[in-house]
Amino acid sequence: MAKVILDAGHGGVEPGAVYEGRNEKDDTLRLTLAVGDILEENGVEVAYTRTEDVYDTPLQKAQIANEQGGDFFISFHRNASPQANQYSGVETLVYDLSGEKVALAEAINAELAEVGFRDLGVKERPDLVVLKRTWMPAVLVEVGFLNTDADNELFDNEFAAIAEAIAGGILSTLEEEGKLGNPSGGAAFSGQDAGSEAVEDSPESGTEVSETARLYRVQTGAYRNRAYAEDLLYRLQQQNYPAFLLYEDGLYKVQVGAFAQLDNAVRMESALRKAGYSTFITTT
């Protein structure tokens, strides 16, 4: 079964864009849940980074997605311009212009253009954490401008059609990529390099990783104190390593990658050791 991770942008103490009493965080949550319902009705497994008005950092959202695993990660936002009613339209952001994520972004934009939004295109944003740190192909959809009255009117009046359009773009891409009805890959990161070493175990590079396959991970630390583990996790992620935190056997374990091929795990371990980390390879 195909699986997608849906992320409602912002939340809790972070409202996102605000315009005349309207908060981005409320629009994104409402839309995320509506799209999720449609996907589930069409046989897609859905996981969420949030289903309530709570706040997690972008890094925490990426970690939630990575722990869940999935074929795609879609983050929902509303855009904003320096002046009210300055711009209008939908755009979708990706880490880089390669792989399945671009096909997904283009499909979503095309469907939303049919609803009435101006298509502002697909753009690279390698600096965004939810695009950089997620291991599956990831997109961030800016569904119109929150401080443009015409976009808000379209968002409100055509809300059901907008949700259907986004879900349609996701479903068509899953089908084109042969993922509908297949086990979710969800084990590899989404296109950025891990340190200085290129790793090729991602579904975008053609390697299918099933949920039952043996995966090799490089462990860099195990702590009873979570704060120590999070400090190491942060340092690794700041250096662009696809690190994550796993709680197991009473320990907070910091591990890097999830590789179907042992050779790639060995390469990652070598890169980490050159960077000064103590490591060993573990399997799942």
Side-chain angles (χ1 to χ4, degrees):
M1 176 187 291
K3 182 178 181 180
V4 300
I5 314 298
L6 301 183
D7 168 50
H10 307 286
V13 297
E14 174 51 62
V18 177
Y19 177 64
E20 295 185 349
R22 184 172 192 142
N23 294 326
E24 181 182 1
K25 67 175 184 176
D26 299 325
D27 283 358
T28 61
L29 181 57
R30 182 181 170 210
L31 183 59
T32 297
L33 296 176
V35 171
D37 287 344
I38 297 168
L39 293 175
E40 289 177 335
E41 289 170 0
N42 284 272
V44 175
E45 183 180 354
V46 178
Y48 301 91
T49 60
R50 73 177 177 103
T51 57
E52 299 176 343
D53 186 20
V54 296
Y55 175 72
D56 288 304
T57 67
L59 179 57
Q60 288 172 322
K61 287 171 177 278
Q63 290 171 342
I64 291 169
N66 293 338
E67 289 169 3
Q68 292 282 345
D71 295 292
F72 289 128
F73 174 90
I74 302 99
S75 184
F76 295 95
H77 288 257
R78 302 286 315 279
N79 222 330
S81 52
Q83 300 177 17
N85 299 302
Q86 186 177 12
Y87 302 119
S88 178
V90 61
E91 65 181 2
T92 300
L93 311 179
V94 295
Y95 178 80
D96 59 34
L97 297 176
S98 68
E100 298 169 351
K101 57 186 175 290
V102 177
L104 175 61
E106 290 175 342
I108 291 173
N109 280 10
E111 292 285 350
L112 287 172
E114 291 292 324
V115 176
F117 282 108
R118 180 186 177 193
D119 185 353
L120 300 177
V122 178
K123 300 177 182 178
E124 286 188 348
R125 285 293 301 274
D127 57 315
L128 294 180
V129 171
V130 293
L131 302 179
K132 184 176 184 178
R133 300 301 188 192
T134 44
W135 299 345
M136 66 286 294
V139 302
L140 187 153
V141 189
E142 298 273 15
V143 189
F145 283 76
L146 189 84
N147 61 346
T148 294
D149 294 329
D151 280 4
N152 285 339
E153 183 178 355
L154 181 59
F155 188 93
D156 293 335
N157 293 342
E158 301 296 334
F159 180 81
I162 290 168
E164 289 279 359
I166 295 172
I170 297 168
L171 289 167
S172 64
T173 307
L174 286 169
E175 185 172 10
E176 288 174 5
E177 299 294 338
K179 294 183 175 182
L180 278 180
N182 291 332
S184 169
F189 56 100
S190 63
Q192 63 274 21
D193 289 341
S196 61
E197 298 291 314
V199 181
E200 299 177 352
D201 262 344
S202 120
E204 286 198 44
S205 66
T207 301
E208 293 292 334
V209 183
S210 74
E211 292 179 339
T212 58
R214 169 176 289 186
L215 298 176
Y216 299 93
R217 298 171 177 173
V218 184
Q219 185 161 306
T220 57
Y223 305 89
R224 295 195 180 279
N225 187 319
R226 180 171 184 143
Y228 296 152
E230 288 180 342
D231 179 67
L232 176 57
L233 177 71
Y234 177 78
R235 284 189 283 120
L236 287 163
Q237 291 177 336
Q238 285 295 102
Q239 294 177 287
N240 286 348
Y241 290 103
F244 62 95
L245 192 61
L246 174 69
Y247 185 71
E248 187 178 62
D249 301 326
L251 296 172
Y252 295 97
K253 299 179 180 180
V254 182
Q255 298 182 349
V256 178
F259 306 99
Q261 302 297 323
L262 177 58
D263 287 350
N264 283 335
V266 170
R267 290 168 60 198
M268 176 61 77
E269 183 181 38
S270 176
L272 287 163
R273 286 187 174 181
K274 287 179 182 177
Y277 294 100
S278 299
T279 66
F280 72 89
I281 294 176
T282 183
T283 62
T284 61

